[in-house]
Amino acid sequence: MNRAPLLRSLASHSFRVCPNPDAGEPVLRPSPTHHRGVCMQVIIPGEQLRYGIRLVAHAPNGARLGLLGEPLSWDAGLPLNDVPSLELTYTTHAQGAAWLREPCEVALEYSVNGGAWSEAANGRFLRIKRSGDATDQTGAQRFSLPGWAWMLRKLVLYPSLDMVDGKRQFNAVRVGHLLTTLISEGAGRGTLPGLSVDFTATHDSAGQPWSTELTIGLEPGTDLLQLLINLSEQGVCDWQMTGRVLQVYNEGTALGRQLAAGPAPVELVLGRDIDQAPDDATLEDAASAILVVGEEGLRVEVTNPGAVAPWGRWEAYQSQGGVKDEGTARLLAGQALERASRERVQFTRQIKPQQARFLPLADYRPGDTIRAPGEEGKPDALRIRQITLSRGDDGVVGGNLTLNDRFLEREIKLARQAAGILSGGVSSGGNGGDPGGDNENRIPAAPTGLLVSPSAYQDDEGYAHGQITVSWVGVTSDVNGTPLTVDGYEVVGQSPPGTGATRVLAITTGTSITYSPLEPKSQWQFGVRATNQGTKGLVAGTAVIVIPDDETPPPDPSAPVVDSRLGIFRIQWDGFTSSGTGMPKDFARVLIMMKDPLDPVDEGRQVEWLERAGIAVVPGQPYNTDREFWLTAIDRSGNISGESPHVVAQTRPLVDTDVIGQVINGATAIIDGSLPANAKITANTITGNLIQALTINAGHLNANSVTADKIQAGAIQTGHLAASAITADKIAAGSITAEKITADALNGKTITGPVIRSSATGRRSGRDGGRYASSRMTIFPTDGGVLVVPAVLPIHVPTSAFGLTVAEWLLLDPVQEVSNV
């Protein structure tokens, strides 16, 4: 087609380019400031859009009207478990403007790569409010459209004949029964004829049985929207609207998909899916200690050693009416402290769908947990709390995500649990019965709607205990149905069920109570009965209940520091969590895990553990081979954290592997950097039993390097010396002294040498060359005490010595020198 003549004929008019929402192509339309007649549309083929959003008008509770193809701008917010909203600016000169002049419905639809259009969940809006200016020549009108769920507030609960204390009582019912009762009663009155549901009294919208029972009293006038929001805030259910269909699910199931891991994770990456990543963080609500004050003088202080405390201890105070036992006070205090233990951070991530790999509504939706940039832009598992989509004057679709990390999600759950403990899930107050005359000896009827909710808490040492919250509907009559005012109630229990006597655990005048402590994992059967002037009523019992243990895993530990020294791995941990805070009080240890990163079937194994900050050693690993290390924390209840960041390292040999088993030359064989210069060989590290026989020869020793003080006493035996190895020139002068020679070492031995003396000084005998000398005496045989001197002597003996006794001989003056005969 030749477009030139057509374009020349339009040259005198002012046109603007708009996207064609059906074909994803640009469209020429006359500018509304110059032409108020019928819009002319010229479709010029262009590039197909990666991601398209369009708005479609529908009649109230009716059929599709058509496209709202020329919005000036719009902004849609799609939250989890709340009412969505749409802000729309539209000109009165554009096609479809007439539909917006009257109440209608607007659907938000999306398409991927030119595929089929689909209406988004929570994407149906009501044209309720509008504003404009008659002097504005553009005819721009602004519309505020709440989601279809906004209309659920127009269905309210009516009173019934069985009211208790002015409330409608629902005893031990499933969520579906409660909601369908309210909706069916409204439908019977003709309320919200366009509303439909796809759940039943017994199963949720995914076809799963309801997991929660409720005993609750509702005020007349409670609307359906308020009830849904309250139930979702209590963690009972999740809900959304798809078109005009209300869908309700068990909490954390269909609207809590885990897409951060698995075979096909959804991961949003900076630069590709996300172009801006602002964070909002505050420490305003932080605290490290809390004082809980209950009833009857109960005061419990709980501290959190793992809380962020840059300025030291911060305190909080909590007054809890109705709490009388220490266990419940500790449970509530622990939950409050955990919520206040860290900086509260909410992440907003701006998305760009035209370039992104993963697209909103198509690949992820509110309630999903995905992988996205978290603190400091590091990838983390974050839950989507809201998706916001928008289109400005340029026609480009953009948006942002509001994300919560696992800490903020846990804070939400803790707040829900605390609210459930304090409210008991039932109405309170007196009863609606009339007095029945004399109450004496009348047996109260059994309470109804009994619910027991068990929980776990920790004591000061971090050990787990059990706690229960018991609630029921008050008794208003005796066993015969006659109105009766009771004195109070007894909560009873038996553990193990059917094996022991039932004992009274607690007494109250209300219709809910808490009790603790109980042994984790123990089995109990609880009941409640009313009392009337000492007469005990019938017991309403429960099924067997298992007291829960602490199931909250410790936070992920920080990354280990791994190095190799002396040929082994040294694993160091600083004692902190991955977020830089201390470990909680129930922390037990960190497990050091290791695997071969190149082995696809190696899932890792524990090789060591640490109870606190410190260093562990992992020996016996091959040289120059990758080993992957990480840490996991475990608490006293056996809960295991996620993994710390992984670290890959290798052991490094002290010497080149080519010389292992050979002589080591320190100058060339020790690898640079493997040992500090002053620690190549430490004292006493090389001992005799580590040296191979005959490996050290004389040529390996420096001159005079082995001296007498280096040789251990007894270390050199005769068998260690080669024949004729020690000659006179090898012995230093004065090195062999008398104490070095054993007593019998010379027996039968031939001694050569010019001088032999028995001592260096004093009394001695000796031979100097051919001469013999004695300093005091020479020993001869005796006969009757008289010395026998041989007739011929080798030495000269003075005549004064002849005939002397031994005693007299000893008195002679020493002979300094005696010559041979």
Side-chain angles (χ1 to χ4, degrees):
M1 172 183 177
N2 186 358
R3 300 189 184 93
L6 175 60
L7 295 178
R8 282 195 298 271
S9 69
L10 300 175
S12 60
H13 298 278
S14 176
F15 290 86
R16 57 192 175 90
V17 179
C18 301
N20 178 2
D22 285 314
E25 300 168 343
V27 176
L28 281 179
R29 295 195 185 279
S31 171
T33 59
H34 291 78
H35 182 69
R36 295 195 177 211
V38 178
C39 291
M40 300 180 63
Q41 177 171 297
V42 179
I43 299 177
I44 301 176
E47 183 179 355
Q48 179 175 277
L49 292 178
R50 158 90 166 127
Y51 186 68
I53 297 284
R54 70 181 186 184
L55 303 177
V56 179
H58 294 257
N61 293 337
R64 181 181 189 271
L65 298 176
L67 291 175
L68 298 172
E70 300 181 58
L72 298 180
S73 65
W74 56 262
D75 187 288
L78 310 176
L80 175 66
N81 294 328
D82 209 340
V83 179
S85 63
L86 174 66
E87 296 293 328
L88 170 64
T89 302
Y90 209 83
T91 175
T92 56
H93 308 306
Q95 183 178 3
W99 298 324
L100 294 173
R101 295 192 188 102
E102 302 294 333
C104 66
E105 300 175 11
V106 176
L108 186 148
E109 298 181 351
Y110 66 92
S111 174
V112 178
N113 294 327
W117 292 90
S118 303
E119 181 173 340
N122 282 328
R124 184 67 65 96
F125 304 91
L126 305 173
R127 207 288 277 156
I128 298 294
K129 296 174 61 177
R130 65 182 177 87
S131 62
D133 185 351
T135 64
D136 185 355
Q137 295 186 7
T138 66
Q141 295 281 313
R142 294 169 181 82
F143 302 91
S144 295
L145 297 88
W148 209 98
W150 175 90
M151 202 154 45
L152 299 180
R153 67 176 59 191
K154 300 303 182 181
L155 194 162
V156 300
L157 179 69
Y158 274 31
S160 66
L161 298 177
D162 56 350
M163 303 281 285
V164 176
D165 195 27
K167 298 180 181 180
R168 285 191 60 176
Q169 199 68 39
F170 295 86
N171 300 331
V173 298
R174 302 291 182 181
V175 179
H177 175 82
L178 178 63
L179 296 175
T180 54
T181 297
L182 184 58
I183 293 171
S184 60
E185 288 181 0
R189 300 188 297 267
T191 307
L192 299 186
L195 174 66
S196 60
V197 301
D198 63 358
F199 58 88
T200 67
T202 58
H203 291 76
D204 71 0
S205 293
Q208 299 300 311
W210 293 109
S211 60
T212 305
E213 278 190 349
L214 298 172
T215 291
I216 188 170
L218 295 179
E219 297 273 2
T222 301
D223 63 70
L224 179 57
L225 177 60
Q226 177 188 353
L227 180 59
L228 280 169
I229 292 176
N230 288 342
L231 291 175
S232 61
E233 288 178 346
Q234 291 293 320
V236 174
C237 64
D238 292 323
W239 61 275
Q240 66 179 12
M241 294 292 302
T242 298
R244 304 183 187 106
V245 179
L246 174 61
Q247 298 176 320
V248 185
Y249 303 91
N250 285 314
E251 190 268 340
T253 56
L255 297 187
R257 298 184 301 176
Q258 298 295 322
L259 305 180
V266 173
E267 182 171 7
L268 305 187
V269 178
L270 285 172
R272 183 192 68 189
D273 308 87
I274 295 173
D275 57 5
Q276 294 184 30
D279 301 337
D280 292 321
T282 179
L283 281 171
E284 293 173 313
D285 298 324
S288 57
I290 187 170
L291 177 65
V292 176
V293 177
E295 294 186 353
E296 300 179 357
L298 177 67
R299 294 163 59 93
V300 176
E301 183 188 71
V302 177
T303 60
N304 182 1
V308 174
W311 291 280
R313 173 174 166 136
W314 282 6
E315 297 177 337
Y317 180 90
Q318 196 169 30
S319 178
Q320 297 289 11
V323 176
K324 301 179 182 179
D325 64 295
E326 181 179 343
T328 300
R330 288 193 176 278
L331 173 61
L332 295 172
Q335 292 172 345
L337 272 187
E338 188 169 346
R339 297 196 299 271
S341 66
R342 61 184 296 273
E343 188 178 50
R344 294 174 62 93
V345 184
Q346 187 171 71
F347 307 101
T348 302
R349 299 294 179 256
Q350 184 166 309
I351 56 176
K352 45 182 186 179
Q354 300 305 331
Q355 291 80 34
R357 176 182 177 185
F358 297 103
L359 301 174
L361 306 180
D363 297 313
Y364 55 85
R365 63 194 183 202
D368 290 344
T369 297
I370 63 173
R371 194 164 180 82
E375 192 78 32
E376 300 179 351
K378 298 177 182 178
D380 197 2
L382 304 174
R383 192 178 190 196
I384 302 172
R385 279 288 163 177
Q386 178 167 313
I387 296 177
T388 300
L389 297 172
S390 61
R391 201 193 81 172
D393 293 338
D394 57 2
V396 177
V397 175
N400 61 72
L401 309 178
T402 301
L403 305 170
N404 285 358
D405 62 15
R406 64 185 183 279
F407 301 107
L408 198 52
E409 284 297 305
R410 174 155 174 78
E411 290 178 18
I412 293 173
K413 291 184 178 180
L414 291 175
R416 291 169 174 173
Q417 185 179 7
I421 291 172
L422 294 175
S423 68
V426 298
S427 61
S428 59
N431 59 66
D434 297 324
D438 186 9
N439 289 343
E440 187 176 0
N441 298 326
R442 293 168 60 196
I443 301 175
T448 58
L450 175 63
L451 290 179
V452 178
S453 177
S455 301
Y457 70 96
Q458 295 174 7
D459 61 19
D460 280 339
E461 302 298 325
Y463 291 97
H465 303 278
Q467 177 267 1
I468 56 170
T469 301
V470 188
S471 60
W472 60 91
V473 178
V475 175
T476 59
S477 64
D478 61 15
V479 291
N480 298 317
T482 304
L484 174 68
T485 300
V486 300
D487 301 332
Y489 301 89
E490 294 179 345
V491 175
V492 298
Q494 185 184 69
S495 178
T499 61
T502 299
R503 57 191 177 99
V504 177
L505 302 177
I507 299 175
T508 182
T509 57
T511 54
S512 67
I513 195 171
T514 60
Y515 177 79
S516 67
L518 297 167
E519 184 68 24
K521 300 182 180 179
S522 61
Q523 293 186 346
W524 282 82
Q525 188 166 25
F526 298 101
V528 64
R529 63 192 174 200
T531 58
N532 172 37
Q533 298 181 7
T535 301
K536 301 181 185 300
L538 300 182
V539 175
T542 66
V544 174
I545 291 177
V546 178
I547 304 302
D549 199 352
D550 173 31
E551 297 180 352
T552 303
D556 299 347
S558 59
V561 176
V562 182
D563 67 356
S564 175
R565 184 176 298 178
L566 300 177
I568 59 177
F569 284 116
R570 290 163 44 92
I571 316 298
Q572 183 173 359
W573 179 53
D574 59 11
F576 293 105
T577 68
S578 58
S579 58
T581 59
M583 281 292 181
K585 59 186 177 183
D586 65 334
F587 166 76
R589 64 182 66 90
V590 290
L591 309 180
I592 300 175
M593 310 296 293
M594 183 188 74
K595 73 173 183 179
D596 181 353
L598 301 180
D599 186 351
V601 300
D602 188 355
E603 298 181 354
R605 61 186 178 90
Q606 177 188 340
V607 292
E608 258 295 351
W609 54 271
L610 291 168
E611 291 184 336
R612 59 185 64 85
I615 297 175
V617 174
V618 181
Q621 299 302 310
Y623 290 140
N624 301 319
T625 302
D626 283 345
R627 288 293 181 262
E628 187 172 342
F629 292 92
W630 68 95
L631 306 177
T632 58
I634 185 170
D635 63 20
R636 291 194 174 98
S637 296
N639 301 304
I640 299 178
S641 73
E643 299 175 358
S644 73
H646 289 217
V647 177
V648 177
Q650 294 181 352
T651 55
R652 303 180 64 186
L654 300 181
V655 298
D656 289 328
T657 54
D658 291 341
V659 299
I660 292 178
Q662 303 179 30
V663 176
I664 298 176
N665 184 335
T668 61
I670 297 179
I671 300 173
D672 289 339
S674 63
L675 287 176
N678 61 351
K680 301 282 180 159
I681 299 177
T682 60
N684 301 320
T685 57
I686 299 181
T687 56
N689 60 347
L690 297 179
I691 302 176
Q692 186 177 1
L694 303 179
T695 56
I696 299 180
N697 299 316
H700 294 144
L701 302 176
N702 292 332
N704 301 320
S705 61
V706 180
T707 57
D709 60 330
K710 300 296 191 300
I711 302 175
Q712 185 178 2
I716 300 179
Q717 305 293 331
T718 305
H720 295 145
L721 303 176
S724 302
I726 299 179
T727 57
D729 60 331
K730 299 295 193 301
I731 302 174
S735 62
I736 299 180
T737 57
E739 61 266 19
K740 298 295 191 302
I741 304 175
T742 60
D744 59 350
L746 301 179
N747 286 344
K749 301 296 190 296
T750 299
I751 300 176
T752 61
V755 178
I756 300 175
R757 293 189 180 98
S758 62
S759 176
T761 61
R763 297 176 179 174
R764 64 182 183 224
S765 62
R767 186 177 183 86
D768 187 350
R771 298 172 297 172
Y772 179 82
S774 173
S775 63
R776 170 62 67 179
M777 62 180 179
T778 301
I779 305 302
F780 295 102
T782 63
D783 183 10
V786 177
L787 290 174
V788 178
V789 179
V792 180
L793 292 174
I795 60 174
H796 173 73
V797 179
T799 57
S800 60
F802 293 160
L804 296 180
T805 65
V806 175
E808 292 170 337
W809 178 272
L810 294 176
L811 294 176
L812 291 176
D813 290 334
V815 178
Q816 298 300 322
E817 183 173 341
V818 179
S819 298
N820 287 350
V821 176

